[in-house]
Amino acid sequence: MNIPLPGNTGDAGMRRVMDEIIAPKLQHFKPDVILVSAGYDAHWRDPLAGLQFQSRTYHFLSSALKQLADQLCGGKIVFLLEGGYDLEGLSDGVVESFRSLIQDPSGDTFDASVLLEEPDKKILEAISLAKGIHGL
C-alpha cells in the first residue's frame, strides 16, 4: 500500500494510519506473506520526504507488521531495504526495526518536543481519502 501523507506527519499520524488503514486492509486481504518495502526517508533527520517519523516509529511499524504476519500468514514477513538519505536516521531506523523483530524494546530516546506539530486535520483528510480508495 502506498499512502501519501502530508508534510510533518510523524509518529502519531503514522500510528493512526497503521490502526485505521494498514492493519484492517491486511486483515481483510489475508496475505500468504507480507512484503515490506522498508524505506527510512520519512525519518525526521532525512532531508527529502518532509516527514517526522522517529526511530521509535519504525520500531512500532515493524512490531505491528510482525504481529499481523503472525496472525495472518504464519509469521511470514520479508523486509526489503529501500532508501533513506540521512545515514544516521537510516541506521537508527533499521536498528529499531530489527529490535522490534527480536522483541527488544525501542532504544530511541529522542525528545520529540523539538519537532513541529503534526498537521492533524490534513492527516485525517489523507486517512479518509485512503480509506475510500482502499474500500475501508
Side-chain angles (χ1 to χ4, degrees):
M1 299 179 73
N2 187 14
I3 303 163
L5 297 172
N8 296 327
T9 298
D11 188 72
M14 190 59 224
R15 287 174 182 264
R16 288 194 73 159
V17 168
M18 174 58 76
D19 293 343
E20 295 184 33
I21 300 171
I22 298 170
K25 192 64 177 179
L26 284 172
Q27 290 162 340
H28 175 76
F29 183 70
K30 296 181 177 63
D32 294 324
V33 63
I34 296 175
L35 301 175
V36 181
S37 177
Y40 295 86
D41 52 346
H43 195 279
W44 67 268
R45 295 182 59 91
D46 196 283
L48 295 182
L51 298 173
Q52 301 185 110
F53 289 17
Q54 300 162 55
S55 298
R56 71 177 62 101
T57 309
Y58 294 105
H59 187 281
F60 164 76
L61 291 171
S62 298
S63 180
L65 290 168
K66 176 68 170 105
Q67 287 177 336
L68 287 162
D70 289 344
Q71 293 169 6
L72 301 171
C73 52
K76 292 180 274 188
I77 188 167
V78 176
F79 285 79
L80 305 166
L81 181 59
E82 289 248 345
Y85 303 94
D86 177 89
L87 293 181
E88 189 173 339
L90 172 63
S91 62
D92 288 349
V94 170
V95 165
E96 287 298 309
S97 295
F98 279 98
R99 276 189 168 152
S100 77
L101 295 176
I102 62 171
Q103 299 179 339
D104 273 358
S106 174
D108 186 3
T109 59
F110 174 69
D111 177 10
S113 68
V114 301
L115 296 176
L116 298 173
E117 186 175 335
E118 291 191 48
D120 293 331
K121 183 177 178 186
K122 289 182 179 181
I123 293 169
L124 292 175
E125 290 169 359
I127 289 171
S128 179
L129 180 62
K131 283 181 171 181
I133 290 170
H134 295 289
L136 296 170

